Amino acid sequence: MTTLARWARAEWGALYAAVRGPLTERRWRAAPMAVAAVCLTAVLHVVHNQSWGYQAVQDVGGVRAADPLWVALLRTPLSLFVPALDLPVWGALVQILLVFGIAELCLGRWRTLALAYVATLAGTLYARLGIWLGPDSPLGLPASDARVVDTGPSAAVVGLAVFMGWRYRAHVTASVVIGAMVAEVVLKENLAGKEHLAAIAAVLVVCVAGELRQRRSRDRAGSGSGAPPSQS
Protein backbone atom coordinates (compact mmCIF):
# COMPACT_ATOMS: atom_id res chain seq x y z
CA MET A 1 0.00 0.00 0.00
CA THR A 2 1.40 3.38 -1.02
CA THR A 3 1.89 6.24 1.40
CA LEU A 4 -0.97 8.16 -0.21
CA ALA A 5 -3.31 5.17 0.07
CA ARG A 6 -2.41 4.67 3.72
CA TRP A 7 -3.07 8.34 4.40
CA ALA A 8 -6.41 8.23 2.58
CA ARG A 9 -7.43 5.13 4.55
CA ALA A 10 -6.49 6.75 7.84
CA GLU A 11 -8.24 10.01 6.91
CA TRP A 12 -11.44 8.72 5.32
CA GLY A 13 -11.59 5.04 6.24
CA ALA A 14 -14.05 5.41 9.11
CA LEU A 15 -16.28 7.75 7.12
CA TYR A 16 -16.18 5.46 4.08
CA ALA A 17 -17.17 2.46 6.20
CA ALA A 18 -20.10 4.37 7.70
CA VAL A 19 -21.39 5.46 4.27
CA ARG A 20 -20.72 2.30 2.26
CA GLY A 21 -23.20 -0.04 3.95
CA PRO A 22 -26.47 1.90 3.59
CA LEU A 23 -25.45 3.35 0.22
CA THR A 24 -24.67 -0.09 -1.22
CA GLU A 25 -27.89 -1.57 0.14
CA ARG A 26 -30.35 1.18 -0.81
CA ARG A 27 -28.40 3.48 -3.17
CA TRP A 28 -30.01 6.93 -3.53
CA ARG A 29 -32.99 5.82 -1.43
CA ALA A 30 -30.65 5.74 1.58
CA ALA A 31 -30.61 9.54 1.71
CA PRO A 32 -34.12 10.77 0.82
CA MET A 33 -33.76 13.99 2.79
CA ALA A 34 -30.64 15.01 0.85
CA VAL A 35 -32.38 14.26 -2.47
CA ALA A 36 -35.43 16.25 -1.36
CA ALA A 37 -33.16 19.14 -0.28
CA VAL A 38 -31.53 19.21 -3.72
CA CYS A 39 -34.93 19.22 -5.43
CA LEU A 40 -36.28 21.96 -3.15
CA THR A 41 -33.16 24.09 -3.71
CA ALA A 42 -33.47 23.69 -7.49
CA VAL A 43 -37.16 24.63 -7.44
CA LEU A 44 -36.56 27.67 -5.23
CA HIS A 45 -33.71 28.78 -7.51
CA VAL A 46 -35.91 28.58 -10.61
CA VAL A 47 -38.76 30.46 -8.91
CA HIS A 48 -36.34 32.99 -7.44
CA ASN A 49 -35.10 33.88 -10.91
CA GLN A 50 -38.59 34.69 -12.18
CA SER A 51 -39.97 38.20 -11.98
CA TRP A 52 -43.16 36.84 -10.42
CA GLY A 53 -41.36 34.60 -7.95
CA TYR A 54 -38.45 36.67 -6.67
CA GLN A 55 -40.34 38.49 -3.94
CA ALA A 56 -42.24 35.35 -2.91
CA VAL A 57 -38.98 33.46 -2.25
CA GLN A 58 -37.57 36.47 -0.41
CA ASP A 59 -40.67 36.62 1.77
CA VAL A 60 -40.38 32.98 2.88
CA GLY A 61 -36.62 32.34 2.81
CA GLY A 62 -34.68 35.58 2.47
CA VAL A 63 -33.04 36.50 5.80
CA ARG A 64 -31.41 39.87 6.47
CA ALA A 65 -30.11 41.40 9.67
CA ALA A 66 -32.42 44.35 9.03
CA ASP A 67 -35.45 42.08 9.44
CA PRO A 68 -37.19 41.79 12.82
CA LEU A 69 -35.69 38.85 14.71
CA TRP A 70 -38.94 36.88 14.81
CA VAL A 71 -39.27 37.19 11.04
CA ALA A 72 -35.68 36.04 10.54
CA LEU A 73 -36.23 33.02 12.79
CA LEU A 74 -39.37 32.02 10.90
CA ARG A 75 -37.56 32.29 7.56
CA THR A 76 -34.31 30.62 8.63
CA PRO A 77 -35.37 26.96 8.10
CA LEU A 78 -36.31 27.57 4.47
CA SER A 79 -33.32 29.89 3.95
CA LEU A 80 -31.14 26.75 4.08
CA PHE A 81 -32.42 25.96 0.59
CA VAL A 82 -32.34 29.40 -1.07
CA PRO A 83 -29.05 29.59 -3.02
CA ALA A 84 -27.33 32.89 -3.74
CA LEU A 85 -28.35 34.32 -7.10
CA ASP A 86 -24.82 35.55 -7.88
CA LEU A 87 -23.26 32.07 -7.65
CA PRO A 88 -23.67 29.01 -9.93
CA VAL A 89 -26.58 26.99 -8.61
CA TRP A 90 -25.04 23.69 -9.70
CA GLY A 91 -22.27 24.22 -7.16
CA ALA A 92 -24.79 24.57 -4.35
CA LEU A 93 -26.72 21.51 -5.56
CA VAL A 94 -23.60 19.33 -5.66
CA GLN A 95 -22.54 20.50 -2.20
CA ILE A 96 -25.96 19.79 -0.73
CA LEU A 97 -26.17 16.35 -2.31
CA LEU A 98 -22.71 15.28 -1.15
CA VAL A 99 -22.52 16.85 2.31
CA PHE A 100 -26.16 16.49 3.32
CA GLY A 101 -26.20 12.99 1.83
CA ILE A 102 -23.12 11.79 3.71
CA ALA A 103 -24.37 13.36 6.93
CA GLU A 104 -27.81 11.76 6.53
CA LEU A 105 -26.25 8.34 5.97
CA CYS A 106 -24.07 8.67 9.06
CA LEU A 107 -26.21 10.72 11.45
CA GLY A 108 -29.78 10.29 10.30
CA ARG A 109 -32.02 12.93 8.79
CA TRP A 110 -33.14 14.69 11.98
CA ARG A 111 -29.66 15.13 13.45
CA THR A 112 -28.47 16.33 10.05
CA LEU A 113 -31.25 18.89 9.83
CA ALA A 114 -30.67 19.99 13.43
CA LEU A 115 -26.95 20.58 12.83
CA ALA A 116 -27.66 22.36 9.56
CA TYR A 117 -30.10 24.63 11.36
CA VAL A 118 -27.62 25.32 14.19
CA ALA A 119 -24.94 26.31 11.67
CA THR A 120 -27.28 28.55 9.67
CA LEU A 121 -28.79 30.14 12.77
CA ALA A 122 -25.31 30.89 14.11
CA GLY A 123 -24.54 32.84 10.96
CA THR A 124 -27.88 34.64 11.10
CA LEU A 125 -27.39 35.72 14.72
CA TYR A 126 -23.75 36.64 14.15
CA ALA A 127 -24.78 39.10 11.42
CA ARG A 128 -26.87 41.01 13.95
CA LEU A 129 -24.07 40.97 16.50
CA GLY A 130 -21.51 42.06 13.92
CA ILE A 131 -23.58 45.03 12.80
CA TRP A 132 -24.15 46.00 16.44
CA LEU A 133 -20.37 45.90 17.05
CA GLY A 134 -19.73 48.03 13.96
CA PRO A 135 -16.92 48.07 11.41
CA ASP A 136 -14.30 49.27 13.90
CA SER A 137 -14.43 45.95 15.77
CA PRO A 138 -12.46 42.92 14.46
CA LEU A 139 -15.70 40.94 14.65
CA GLY A 140 -17.89 43.77 13.42
CA LEU A 141 -19.66 44.46 10.16
CA PRO A 142 -20.62 47.64 8.30
CA ALA A 143 -24.20 48.83 8.65
CA SER A 144 -24.78 48.22 4.92
CA ASP A 145 -24.54 44.45 5.53
CA ALA A 146 -27.88 44.62 7.36
CA ARG A 147 -29.55 44.65 3.93
CA VAL A 148 -27.50 41.73 2.52
CA VAL A 149 -29.26 38.34 2.30
CA ASP A 150 -27.72 35.59 4.45
CA THR A 151 -25.60 32.81 3.01
CA GLY A 152 -28.33 30.27 2.25
CA PRO A 153 -27.22 26.61 2.20
CA SER A 154 -23.46 27.27 2.32
CA ALA A 155 -23.24 27.85 6.08
CA ALA A 156 -25.05 24.57 6.70
CA VAL A 157 -22.80 22.74 4.23
CA VAL A 158 -19.65 24.10 5.85
CA GLY A 159 -20.89 23.31 9.34
CA LEU A 160 -21.86 19.74 8.45
CA ALA A 161 -18.53 19.15 6.68
CA VAL A 162 -16.57 20.25 9.75
CA PHE A 163 -18.76 18.16 12.08
CA MET A 164 -18.33 15.02 9.97
CA GLY A 165 -14.58 15.59 9.78
CA TRP A 166 -14.41 15.89 13.56
CA ARG A 167 -16.70 12.93 14.29
CA TYR A 168 -14.95 10.52 11.94
CA ARG A 169 -11.43 11.79 12.66
CA ALA A 170 -10.92 13.23 9.17
CA HIS A 171 -8.98 16.03 10.78
CA VAL A 172 -7.08 17.12 7.69
CA THR A 173 -10.31 17.46 5.72
CA ALA A 174 -11.95 19.48 8.48
CA SER A 175 -8.85 21.67 8.76
CA VAL A 176 -8.86 22.31 5.00
CA VAL A 177 -12.50 23.40 5.14
CA ILE A 178 -11.80 25.73 8.06
CA GLY A 179 -8.66 27.08 6.38
CA ALA A 180 -10.56 27.78 3.17
CA MET A 181 -13.19 29.75 5.08
CA VAL A 182 -10.53 31.75 6.92
CA ALA A 183 -8.82 32.49 3.60
CA GLU A 184 -12.15 33.65 2.17
CA VAL A 185 -12.48 36.22 4.94
CA VAL A 186 -8.85 37.35 4.61
CA LEU A 187 -8.96 37.70 0.82
CA LYS A 188 -12.52 38.94 0.45
CA GLU A 189 -13.96 40.19 3.69
CA ASN A 190 -17.72 39.98 3.38
CA LEU A 191 -20.80 38.93 5.30
CA ALA A 192 -20.93 35.41 3.85
CA GLY A 193 -17.36 34.63 4.83
CA LYS A 194 -17.84 35.74 8.42
CA GLU A 195 -21.13 33.87 8.65
CA HIS A 196 -19.30 30.74 7.55
CA LEU A 197 -16.82 31.21 10.39
CA ALA A 198 -19.69 31.72 12.84
CA ALA A 199 -21.26 28.47 11.61
CA ILE A 200 -17.96 26.63 12.09
CA ALA A 201 -17.56 28.06 15.60
CA ALA A 202 -21.06 26.89 16.57
CA VAL A 203 -20.46 23.38 15.21
CA LEU A 204 -17.11 23.13 16.99
CA VAL A 205 -18.86 23.99 20.25
CA VAL A 206 -21.27 21.11 19.57
CA CYS A 207 -18.32 18.80 18.83
CA VAL A 208 -16.44 19.71 22.00
CA ALA A 209 -19.60 19.39 24.10
CA GLY A 210 -20.19 15.92 22.66
CA GLU A 211 -16.61 14.85 23.39
CA LEU A 212 -16.84 16.08 26.97
CA ARG A 213 -20.14 14.28 27.50
CA GLN A 214 -18.70 11.02 26.18
CA ARG A 215 -15.60 11.41 28.36
CA ARG A 216 -17.73 11.93 31.46
CA SER A 217 -19.79 8.86 30.56
CA ARG A 218 -16.63 6.74 30.23
CA ASP A 219 -15.29 8.08 33.52
CA ARG A 220 -18.55 7.24 35.31
CA ALA A 221 -18.57 3.76 33.79
CA GLY A 222 -14.97 3.23 34.92
CA SER A 223 -15.69 4.45 38.42
CA GLY A 224 -18.76 2.24 38.68
CA SER A 225 -16.78 -0.89 37.82
CA GLY A 226 -14.61 -0.53 40.93
CA ALA A 227 -11.43 -0.41 38.85
CA PRO A 228 -9.51 2.45 37.27
CA PRO A 229 -10.97 3.42 33.85
CA SER A 230 -7.91 2.03 32.07
CA GLN A 231 -8.46 -1.40 33.65
CA SER A 232 -12.24 -1.73 33.44
Side-chain angles (χ1 to χ4, degrees):
M1 185 180 293
T2 65
T3 301
L4 181 60
R6 284 196 298 270
W7 175 85
R9 185 172 183 177
E11 177 73 7
W12 298 311
L15 184 59
Y16 175 77
V19 169
R20 185 175 183 273
L23 193 60
T24 300
E25 181 180 349
R26 291 178 287 165
R27 299 186 181 277
W28 63 268
R29 293 187 300 276
M33 185 271 293
V35 174
V38 169
C39 295
L40 177 59
T41 302
V43 169
L44 287 174
H45 176 74
V46 171
V47 174
H48 206 188
N49 275 281
Q50 309 304 314
S51 58
W52 52 266
Y54 175 84
Q55 192 57 51
V57 173
Q58 288 294 309
D59 289 342
V60 297
V63 177
R64 300 175 180 83
D67 298 329
L69 181 59
W70 68 271
V71 172
L73 294 176
L74 286 175
R75 292 176 177 175
T76 296
L78 196 59
S79 75
L80 269 69
F81 310 107
V82 180
L85 291 175
D86 58 342
L87 296 176
V89 68
W90 61 264
L93 297 178
V94 170
Q95 289 176 2
I96 292 171
L97 181 62
L98 289 178
V99 178
F100 274 66
I102 290 172
E104 184 180 5
L105 290 171
C106 297
L107 306 175
R109 69 189 65 173
W110 297 117
R111 290 184 67 188
T112 298
L113 282 174
L115 282 167
Y117 184 75
V118 166
T120 301
L121 187 60
T124 295
L125 296 179
Y126 159 74
R128 295 170 180 271
L129 175 63
I131 291 166
W132 179 76
L133 291 173
D136 295 331
S137 169
L139 298 178
L141 296 167
S144 58
D145 280 349
R147 296 185 296 274
V148 177
V149 178
D150 279 3
T151 61
S154 59
V157 167
V158 168
L160 285 171
V162 171
F163 182 86
M164 298 302 295
W166 178 291
R167 179 182 176 90
Y168 289 93
R169 300 298 185 259
H171 292 144
V172 174
T173 303
S175 298
V176 168
V177 173
I178 294 171
M181 297 303 101
V182 171
E184 178 187 13
V185 172
V186 171
L187 296 176
K188 185 182 179 181
E189 186 172 354
N190 56 16
L191 175 62
K194 290 190 173 181
E195 285 189 338
H196 292 159
L197 294 183
I200 289 171
V203 168
L204 289 178
V205 169
V206 173
C207 292
V208 172
E211 291 281 349
L212 292 175
R213 185 172 61 251
Q214 290 178 6
R215 186 175 301 173
R216 285 196 297 268
S217 297
R218 289 194 297 266
D219 290 344
R220 285 196 297 268
S223 299
S225 67
S230 60
Q231 299 176 14
S232 57

